[in-house]
Amino acid sequence: MEKMDEITRRLALQQPVLKDADALTECIMVNLPQQKKSLGQPYLRAVRWITSIAAVFLLILFFGQSRDLVQRPNDIDYGQSLQKFQSDYSQTFDNLPPREAFRQFVEMKRSRTSISDIKSHYSF
Amino acid sequence: MTPSMNIINNDIIERCRCGDQAAFRWVVQTYQQMVFTLAFRLLCDEEEAKDVVQETMIKVWVNFASYNHRQSLRNWIYTIAIRLCFDRLKSKASVEPLPEDEEYFSQYVSDSDTERELENRELLSVIKTLVSQLSPKQRIVFALVHLENLDTEEVGQITGMDAAKIKSNLYVARKTIREQLKQLGYGKDG
């Protein structure tokens, strides 16, 4: 047998002596902290996973819906809105050159326009 | 493990999971010598080995909820102890054997009474002389395979290494120890 194998075989049979084993046990038992809580039965874990996924799905739906609401003005029939606009302001700007008409329109809107004006004007 | 031992173990584990300290005392009393022996062989320090026993048992208690029944309790405790020993081995510089360690070693090798019980001090010197040149991983694999007599599958479970890594670490460890023995004047024939 090789020397190394002989030595390791002998060493494997030799155990170090643990002095004061009872004192060590006592020391461990006295210092035991709070146990970590179990995650519970497997089916409970499955329920948690499902509810978490459902919550994420609902959040995605919510934000998707909000984005859709913000984009809705794009769906407005601009042809109809333009007609309404032209009929409303035709009296005021008909006799003015286009550049002046535009300047006056901007001035007028600057003083009057608010989000509620826009909303009421475009009726949404 | 016998079926009756299995039933006792399962009962103890369930009680420990529920926070029964009396059941856990049984676990400590049953496995503290095992952990001490392993840590003693790996760290070559009696006091540090005792610290590892305490830390291991406290970790076992705290994490009982995450214990997986597919692994044996013994191997799970081994896993925790090995991780703690590995951290300590990484953080401390390797300790070279002193001349007195080598003296104990030569006495041990030439001792005709191979059954003689060694004192901790002598045992420590012999192990230190033998494994001082090994890296932490090689030391762990060597100790688990040759001193704790575990098979490759169990070592894999405990250390998380695959079979190829275990074999290569063991090969290098054996080669290094053989060279160490040669340097000390113990060739193949002794």
Side-chain angles (χ1 to χ4, degrees), chain B residues 73-87:
Chain B
L73 182 61
R74 182 192 72 151
N75 284 0
W76 185 54
I77 294 173
Y78 261 137
T79 306
I80 294 170
I82 285 288
R83 280 182 195 159
L84 291 170
C85 288
F86 184 65
D87 288 344

Side-chain angles (χ1 to χ4, degrees), chain B residues 45-101:
Chain B
D45 188 309
E46 198 171 337
E47 285 311 308
E48 259 198 288
K50 278 186 184 175
D51 289 346
V52 168
V53 174
Q54 282 200 47
E55 281 180 49
T56 303
M57 289 306 169
I58 284 170
K59 270 190 185 276
V60 167
W61 168 254
V62 170
N63 296 298
F64 239 117
S66 64
Y67 167 65
N68 186 346
H69 278 274
R70 275 176 290 181
Q71 196 178 15
S72 73
L73 182 61
R74 182 192 72 151
N75 284 0
W76 185 54
I77 294 173
Y78 261 137
T79 306
I80 294 170
I82 285 288
R83 280 182 195 159
L84 291 170
C85 288
F86 184 65
D87 288 344
R88 281 173 185 255
L89 282 172
K90 270 198 307 184
S91 61
K92 78 175 187 182
S94 69
V95 184
E96 289 295 316
L98 301 168
E100 61 193 69
D101 293 323

